[in-house]
Amino acid sequence: MQTLLSQRVYDQLYEALLDHRLKPGDRLNRRQVAEDLGVSVAPVLEAMTQLEWEGFLRTSPRVGTIVNGVTARQVLGKFRLRQAIEVEAARLAAGGPFTEVRSKLERLAAKADAARSWSLANFKTEVAFHEAIVATAGCRELLAAFSQVMRHGLFHAAHDLLPDLPERTPGMHARLLAALCRADADAAERLIRAHLARPIAALTEAAGQEPVVEERPAITGRVAAVRLVRPKRSKAPA
């Protein structure tokens, strides 16, 4: 029961990160969060510890727990980790496995190709397609690692923390899928590396322009209140 409850708290806090109720520099009070979510402090502490381990939060003496800021260097590190996971998955699933689930992947590729910008909604279509690629490898550990990495990707997109990335090429996901279905392991690796090369190059350039010492976000002093249910929008008068 404790695990299920702490997972629910984790999910609510993560959603608050995505929809801007929690922003970099915001300070959290675990007792207030527990009160806002209607739970005890224990599951809140467990959820916040997980978020801190994943890099979303940090705790400092005399300051407390705040939402972490993000640098281009950190985003670049996540993209490189994502690339390593996808490369291994593509090698495992090259050829036959991709062909077996091609129709499903084609639908996801079409949605990803329909997106033209790096907005949060469009980034989610990108994540769904690439998550399906990783899932095709049949390795739960790879899929879990990818999901964790892309939670950061969604957070970066939600807060416009992605540096200027190259515009998407029309049909790029459909072409990638078609090539993966024909590829052997080595060719599949080259395809994934080529697919992610442009955003990694853009992030590498942005990271190179940052100070060597990473700046931490200014603390807003605001203790964020998290609600289980978003406030209902008032209806327009008839």
Side-chain angles (χ1 to χ4, degrees), residues 28-200:
L28 287 83
N29 180 291
R30 68 186 63 166
R31 294 188 182 279
Q32 181 179 338
V33 172
E35 180 179 347
D36 292 333
L37 297 179
V39 299
S40 66
V41 174
V44 172
L45 176 59
E46 188 174 343
M48 289 175 63
T49 299
Q50 178 68 20
L51 287 165
E52 185 171 356
W53 179 79
E54 292 178 353
F56 290 105
L57 308 177
R58 66 178 173 88
T59 300
S60 302
R62 298 185 299 277
V63 173
T65 300
I66 70 170
V67 179
N68 251 335
V70 178
T71 66
R73 190 174 294 108
Q74 291 168 329
V75 179
L76 172 61
K78 295 297 181 183
F79 258 80
R80 284 177 170 161
L81 183 55
R82 168 191 171 180
Q83 182 188 60
I85 294 168
E86 286 197 59
V87 161
E88 184 61 24
R91 291 186 64 89
L92 291 172
F98 281 130
T99 302
E100 292 173 5
V101 295
R102 183 166 184 167
S103 59
K104 173 186 175 181
L105 291 173
E106 283 178 337
R107 291 192 294 271
L108 294 171
K111 290 182 179 179
D113 284 336
R116 291 290 182 265
S117 68
W118 289 97
S119 67
L120 176 60
N122 291 344
F123 196 78
K124 287 182 177 180
T125 66
E126 170 94 4
V127 172
F129 172 73
H130 286 274
E131 187 172 47
I133 285 180
V134 176
T136 305
C139 178
R140 291 191 299 178
E141 288 74 15
L142 280 178
L143 184 58
F146 180 83
S147 297
Q148 180 179 328
V149 168
M150 295 317 296
R151 281 198 291 274
H152 283 269
L154 291 172
F155 175 73
H156 302 154
H159 291 272
D160 297 322
L161 297 172
L162 292 173
D164 292 335
L165 297 177
E167 292 186 4
R168 299 167 183 233
T169 304
M172 61 189 297
H173 296 90
R175 289 194 299 273
L176 172 63
L177 173 60
L180 286 172
C181 289
R182 300 188 301 266
D184 60 15
D186 290 342
E189 176 174 344
R190 290 193 296 270
L191 287 165
I192 293 296
R193 290 190 183 280
H195 183 78
L196 297 176
R198 294 175 68 212
I200 287 178

Side-chain angles (χ1 to χ4, degrees), residues 11-23 159 226 230:
D11 292 340
Q12 292 293 330
L13 288 172
Y14 180 69
E15 285 299 318
L17 288 167
L18 290 188
D19 66 18
H20 293 239
R21 283 175 291 156
L22 290 177
K23 303 176 183 179
H159 291 272
V226 182
R230 294 186 180 89

